[in-house]
Amino acid sequence: MELICPECRGELQISSDRMASCSLHGGRYEILFDREMEEMAERPAKQPVPTGQSCVGHPRQAAVFACVSCQKALCVSCSYEVAGKTFCSDCAIAAARNTSGEVPPVPPDAVPVGKDCPVCETVNNATAETCSQCGYGFGLLSLTTKRRRSSIPVGLMCAQHNDVQAVATCRICSSGICGTCDFNLPGNMHVCPLCIDKHDDNEISPGRKRKSAWAVAIAAYGMLMLLLLFSGALANALENEGAATLLGNAIFIPALVGTGLGFGAFDRRLRNTAWIWAGVAGNVFVLGVYVILMVIGIVTGAE
Amino acid sequence: MNLKISANTILIRRYLEVGSNGVIFCETATFGGVRRFRFEQVDSVLRGTDSTLSLQVDRQTFKIPVDRKNPAHRAAISRLVSELRRTVRRPPATPDPTQAPS
C-alpha cells in the first residue's frame, strides 16, 4: 500500500529511512509507522536488494526487491512472493506451477463456499442465482456481512488466471480470485470482476424496500385519517377533548414513524424509487398538516 | 486506560483516542463523525513538519494537529506506534536446513 500525502493525496516517496516527501507540493513527513516497511524488516534477507534503482513498473518508486528469475527491479506493489522467493508478476506465474508443469489438482475434500440468503438465511449452492427457499435473486447487494471464517480451499486457482493461486473466493459466484482480480468491497467482501460487471447499479436492497413499503402504508393511513378529519366524519370525536387528543396522536405518531422510515429508505447516493419518494413526501405532508392544525388550534385557543 | 489527543476548536470537535483494540478518530461539527479502526487496519502513521499527525487506513487519511511538547500527546503517539508494531505480521519460523531432522 503506497503512502498517501494527507494534504494533497498525492503519492509520497520515501526519500530516506523514516522520511517521506510529496512530489506534488513538497511536504516532508516523518514516518512513525509503515506496515509494509515493518513487515519487510521482519523478513529475512534472502536475495540481493537493488540500491539506487527505480521500479520498472513505477519509475517514481524506489525498488526494494529484485526478481530472483529475471533480476528486474521491483517496488513492493510489483513483487510477488512464491515459496519464499520474490518474483515479478510474469516469473511468479511460472514459479507457481509445479515441476511437472501441471496445475496442482483440487484436493477431494475441498468444499466450495456456499451462499447465505439475506432474506431467509437459507444456505444455497455456491452457484445458485436465486434462493431455493424464497426465490431472492443474488446480486452484489445480497452479500452477507456475517463474518464467517471461510477458508479458501487448498489448490483453488483464479477463475480468470488459471495458473495463479486464488487468494479469496467471490462472495457471489464463489469462484477463486487472485490478488489482481480481487475487488475488496467495504466489509471485507471479495467480488470477482465478472460479478462486478454484472452488478445492477439500480438495485434496491431488501431493507430499503421494506422501509419504503411501511412508509407508504403509514402515509396512506395518515392521508385517510386527514380525509376523514376534513370530511367531517370525525366531527363527533373532536367534540370530546380526550377523543380529540387520541385522534391527534393517532395521526401524529404514525406520521412521525413513517417519516423516519421514509428517510431511512432514502439514500441520496443510490437510486430512490417513486415509492421511496412517496413514502417520504406523504408522511412529511401529513406531519406538516398536523403541525399547522396544532398551531391553528393553539392560536385559536389562545384567543 | 485510553490515551487521547484532543484538538478541538470553537466549531469542530476533533480527537484521536488510542484504546486497547484500536483507535477512535472523531472530527465533527455537530454529531457523529466518529470512526473506529482496529490496529490491524492502520497502514501508516506520519507526522508532518507542522506537527500534524496523520493516519492512513487503506486509501483514506485522517489528520489531527498535535503538540510535540504536550506529554499527553507524546504518550498517545508512542502508545499508538507500539500497539501498531505489535500487529505487524511476522513470518513463521523456518527450520534451519543445516540441522538434520530428529
Side-chain angles (χ1 to χ4, degrees):
Chain A
M1 174 68 63
E2 61 269 17
L3 295 177
I4 297 174
C5 176
E7 295 295 330
C8 63
R9 296 194 55 79
E11 202 170 308
L12 291 176
Q13 291 179 345
I14 300 172
S15 52
S16 65
D17 194 25
R18 315 311 294 191
M19 290 300 292
S21 60
C22 178
S23 56
L24 292 180
H25 79 284
R28 287 179 57 80
Y29 300 91
E30 180 188 355
I31 302 174
L32 300 180
F33 173 82
D34 181 13
R35 190 169 293 281
E36 279 190 2
M37 281 171 63
E38 299 283 338
E39 285 176 358
M40 272 167 35
E42 292 290 328
R43 287 183 201 158
K46 292 179 181 174
Q47 57 195 79
V49 175
T51 52
Q53 294 183 37
S54 299
C55 172
V56 293
H58 302 102
R60 291 196 294 177
Q61 284 283 357
V64 292
F65 293 113
C67 176
V68 169
S69 182
C70 65
Q71 302 303 317
K72 270 190 221 170
L74 307 167
C75 67
V76 174
S77 304
C78 295
S79 60
Y80 296 86
E81 190 167 304
V82 179
K85 295 179 184 169
T86 306
F87 298 89
C88 64
S89 58
D90 295 327
C91 298
I93 292 172
R97 296 181 182 191
N98 58 19
T99 53
S100 64
E102 296 170 352
V103 175
V106 176
D109 57 351
V111 177
V113 178
K115 273 191 276 194
D116 294 344
C117 173
V119 177
C120 65
E121 298 186 352
T122 305
V123 178
N124 290 267
N125 281 336
T127 55
E129 292 185 358
T130 55
C131 175
S132 57
Q133 200 70 18
C134 66
Y136 178 78
F138 290 114
L140 267 184
L141 291 176
S142 68
L143 297 175
T144 176
T145 56
K146 291 179 194 170
R147 295 192 174 272
R148 292 186 304 151
R149 291 191 173 272
S150 58
S151 59
I152 301 165
V154 176
L156 181 66
M157 311 306 278
C158 175
Q160 310 300 319
H161 307 105
N162 295 326
D163 299 332
V164 181
Q165 182 84 16
V167 298
T169 52
C170 177
R171 278 302 186 99
I172 298 175
C173 65
S174 299
S175 59
I177 317 172
C178 68
T180 307
C181 297
D182 185 20
F183 283 83
N184 197 347
L185 301 182
N188 197 31
M189 291 183 282
H190 301 273
V191 184
C192 72
L194 293 178
C195 293
I196 284 279
D197 284 341
K198 279 192 270 182
H199 165 55
D200 179 12
D201 288 331
N202 293 326
E203 191 179 348
I204 308 291
S205 68
R208 290 179 71 203
K209 281 182 190 168
R210 251 194 314 270
K211 284 181 192 167
S212 70
W214 276 106
V216 167
I218 291 171
Y221 161 80
M223 296 285 192
L224 180 67
M225 292 297 285
L226 285 180
L227 197 64
L228 291 173
L229 191 67
F230 289 125
S231 67
L234 300 174
N236 290 336
L238 290 174
E239 289 173 3
N240 184 341
E241 193 175 326
T245 306
L246 201 64
L247 181 65
N249 289 337
I251 296 175
F252 174 69
I253 293 174
L256 198 63
V257 171
T259 304
L261 288 172
F263 278 108
F266 187 85
D267 192 330
R268 58 190 171 91
R269 294 172 301 173
L270 302 173
R271 186 174 79 99
N272 296 298
T273 61
W275 289 110
I276 293 175
W277 281 108
V280 171
N283 284 293
V284 168
F285 174 76
V286 171
L287 259 187
V289 169
Y290 177 81
V291 169
I292 291 170
L293 290 175
M294 285 289 292
V295 169
I296 293 173
I298 290 169
V299 169
T300 306
E303 288 174 357
Chain B
M1 191 180 77
N2 291 355
L3 298 176
K4 194 170 179 178
I5 298 172
S6 293
N8 299 326
T9 63
I10 295 174
L11 297 176
I12 297 177
R13 184 168 66 112
R14 184 166 43 194
Y15 65 85
L16 178 79
E17 193 171 329
V18 182
S20 55
N21 294 324
V23 296
I24 302 170
F25 180 84
C26 174
E27 187 174 43
T28 180
T30 52
F31 302 105
V34 178
R35 302 291 302 270
R36 291 181 172 82
F37 306 107
R38 296 190 314 276
F39 289 122
E40 294 82 4
Q41 293 177 283
V42 178
D43 290 316
S44 67
V45 177
L46 306 173
R47 182 163 55 195
T49 49
D50 56 351
S51 291
T52 301
L53 190 75
S54 70
L55 268 65
Q56 181 176 333
V57 177
D58 281 341
R59 296 202 65 84
Q60 294 177 298
T61 55
F62 306 92
K63 53 183 184 177
I64 184 169
V66 296
D67 182 4
R68 288 181 190 246
K69 295 177 187 169
N70 188 327
H73 288 196
R74 289 207 306 264
I77 293 170
S78 61
R79 165 101 175 260
L80 172 65
V81 173
S82 63
E83 291 287 347
L84 288 173
R85 287 202 172 124
R86 286 206 313 181
T87 63
V88 170
R89 274 180 303 168
R90 280 160 178 81
T94 51
D96 187 350
T98 61
Q99 297 291 328
S102 59

